[in-house]
Amino acid sequence: TTFTWADPDGSDLTSQRDGLTLQATVPGITYQQAGIYTCTAGNGVGDDGTAEVDVIVEYRPKFDHSQDPYPVATGETVTLQCSALAVPDDVTFEWSRDGSSVSDDRVSITQPAPRTSHLVI
């Protein structure tokens, strides 16, 4: 009987066999390595069998700062956007200025899409 483990890119993983069990270890896994891992077993009789495991790597929010800086003229309205990717993706946003929470009648905070928050000043 032969066994192999493959990562989401189809590359074989280093694995250890113990009887009819094959174990693969991915040390220091990163969110980029999430995906479907496949175990293939064959014994020369018929087609090989496969089993798939969906590996979901949880990670803290990663921010997109592509819109820095925000130039605005005095007296104009400015909309600041904060976007973050994370797993799980139920991201909570909190806006602050100089270490204090932003909340008064002159600002508006919205969450127009999942993983995105707007602050309108």
Side-chain angles (χ1 to χ4, degrees):
T1 301
T2 61
F3 291 97
T4 58
W5 270 105
D7 68 15
D9 296 327
S11 300
D12 286 345
L13 297 173
T14 302
S15 53
Q16 296 177 330
R17 183 174 176 178
D18 182 13
L20 295 178
T21 302
L22 184 70
Q23 178 178 332
T25 302
V26 181
I29 196 163
T30 65
Y31 72 95
Q32 295 99 331
Q33 292 171 296
I36 304 292
Y37 286 74
T38 305
C39 179
T40 303
N43 65 359
V45 178
D47 294 335
D48 291 349
T50 61
E52 294 181 337
V53 177
D54 187 4
V55 176
I56 300 169
V57 179
E58 294 185 348
Y59 60 96
R60 67 182 183 190
K62 296 186 174 294
F63 294 95
D64 174 12
H65 295 285
S66 62
Q67 297 188 16
D68 290 338
Y70 282 84
V72 62
T74 301
E76 293 293 320
T77 299
V78 63
T79 300
L80 305 178
Q81 177 175 303
C82 183
S83 298
L85 295 176
V87 172
D89 66 356
D90 56 344
V91 178
T92 302
F93 294 91
E94 182 178 320
W95 288 91
S96 62
R97 178 176 180 235
D98 298 329
S100 297
S101 182
V102 174
S103 60
D104 65 38
D105 295 338
R106 297 174 296 161
V107 301
S108 168
I109 298 173
T110 61
Q111 192 162 342
R115 301 179 307 274
T116 301
S117 179
H118 286 175
L119 171 66
V120 180
I121 304 170

